[in-house]
Amino acid sequence: NAGVTQTPKFQVLKTGQSMTLQCAQDMNHEYMSWYRQDPGMGLRLIHYSVGAGITDQGEVPNGYNVSRSTTEDFPLRLLSAAPSQTSVYFCASSYTSTSGSGSYNEQFFGPGTRLTVL
Amino acid sequence: KNQVEQSPQSLIILEGKNCTLQCNYTVSPFSNLRWYKQDTGRGPVSLTIMTFSENTKSNGRYTATLDADTKQSSLHITASQLSDSASYICVVRGGTTDSWGKLQFGAGTQVVVTP
């Protein structure tokens, strides 16, 4: 299994440009999500999906769109890039695990995309 | 205000020494707490996950503790190695046994292990 893959690894955009960050997983996980990571801050949820055809907004959704046409893929679109969107973006997929102490959501992260908007 | 606070922000330790990282949270109701290790330029990788009924869990040289009454957790690294140099992130999920709340991420503690 490749796990969670993201492309590209690095990207530089000019203000106003649009682009799509790709995310794919081969673990057949229903739940996928996008985060951004900024210095000195915890990861923040942008959008998430609980299954193909279902998406919802997270904590910081403005300026981003997502779609989930298949279980495997969850692309993130920047509609009109702004310098405030300079960040490292992580995609994650997860499944529910159940043990004697309860159930929880086991999450796997991709390697990240470092985006710079000039 | 972040509902998950980690301390210290960073620390430097000598190879072979032990260290302890702290996590305080205000998330309520509480579902589970996890510690992730994030190497530079990589995505976070799960070390441990603890539910409210667990107060300690180990993964090799990593031992996490949880006190759900005081809303505190710690991650203890034993006999540190150079490969332990990374950021360690505390993450708390709110919710109940019937429904999950969202994940709340701490800002992380940057650990540098020196020879």
Side-chain angles (χ1 to χ4, degrees):
Chain A
N1 285 352
V4 180
T5 58
Q6 292 184 237
T7 57
K9 293 183 77 71
F10 303 93
Q11 182 70 50
V12 178
L13 293 178
K14 294 181 179 178
T15 296
Q17 288 185 311
S18 63
M19 80 158 294
T20 299
L21 308 185
Q22 301 292 343
C23 173
Q25 52 96 4
D26 60 358
M27 298 173 283
N28 202 33
H29 292 166
E30 291 297 323
Y31 193 99
M32 296 185 73
S33 49
W34 276 102
Y35 294 89
R36 60 178 289 171
Q37 187 175 40
D38 300 296
M41 301 180 70
L43 276 79
R44 292 182 291 169
L45 183 65
I46 304 171
H47 285 285
Y48 66 96
S49 168
V50 298
I54 307 170
T55 63
D56 207 346
Q57 296 181 348
E59 182 184 354
V60 287
N62 291 342
Y64 308 95
N65 273 357
V66 292
S67 60
R68 184 94 180 271
S69 56
T70 67
T71 299
E72 294 78 18
D73 300 298
F74 191 42
L76 177 72
R77 292 185 202 79
L78 279 70
L79 309 173
S80 178
S84 61
Q85 294 178 305
T86 294
S87 187
V88 182
Y89 291 85
F90 289 99
C91 178
S93 74
S94 57
Y95 72 99
T96 300
S97 179
T98 301
S99 68
S101 58
S103 63
Y104 52 85
N105 180 266
E106 181 71 80
Q107 199 163 35
F108 298 85
F109 286 87
T113 294
R114 184 173 293 274
L115 175 69
T116 301
V117 182
L118 303 175
Chain B
K1 188 181 187 321
N2 197 350
Q3 296 186 55
V4 179
E5 299 285 348
Q6 293 187 243
S7 61
Q9 276 191 313
S10 62
L11 68 95
I12 300 173
I13 60 173
L14 288 175
E15 186 178 13
K17 298 296 186 182
N18 304 335
C19 69
T20 300
L21 316 180
Q22 299 291 341
C23 174
N24 295 338
Y25 63 92
T26 58
V27 177
S28 181
F30 168 84
S31 180
N32 59 63
L33 183 147
R34 54 196 75 192
W35 284 92
Y36 285 93
K37 179 187 180 188
Q38 184 177 20
D39 293 315
T40 301
R42 310 289 291 271
V45 175
S46 180
L47 291 175
T48 65
I49 297 177
M50 290 182 291
T51 64
F52 63 89
S53 62
E54 299 173 294
N55 55 25
T56 187
K57 185 169 276 190
S58 292
N59 179 357
R61 294 178 297 101
Y62 300 101
T63 299
T65 64
L66 172 65
D67 186 334
D69 291 331
T70 62
K71 294 184 168 55
Q72 295 180 325
S73 176
S74 65
L75 181 69
H76 187 74
I77 305 175
T78 303
S80 62
Q81 300 177 359
L82 297 179
S83 60
D84 292 330
S85 294
S87 178
Y88 293 84
I89 303 172
C90 176
V91 185
V92 178
R93 185 183 286 282
T96 66
T97 53
D98 297 322
S99 65
W100 283 327
K102 65 176 183 176
L103 291 173
Q104 299 282 359
F105 288 79
T109 292
Q110 186 68 45
V111 173
V112 175
V113 181
T114 63

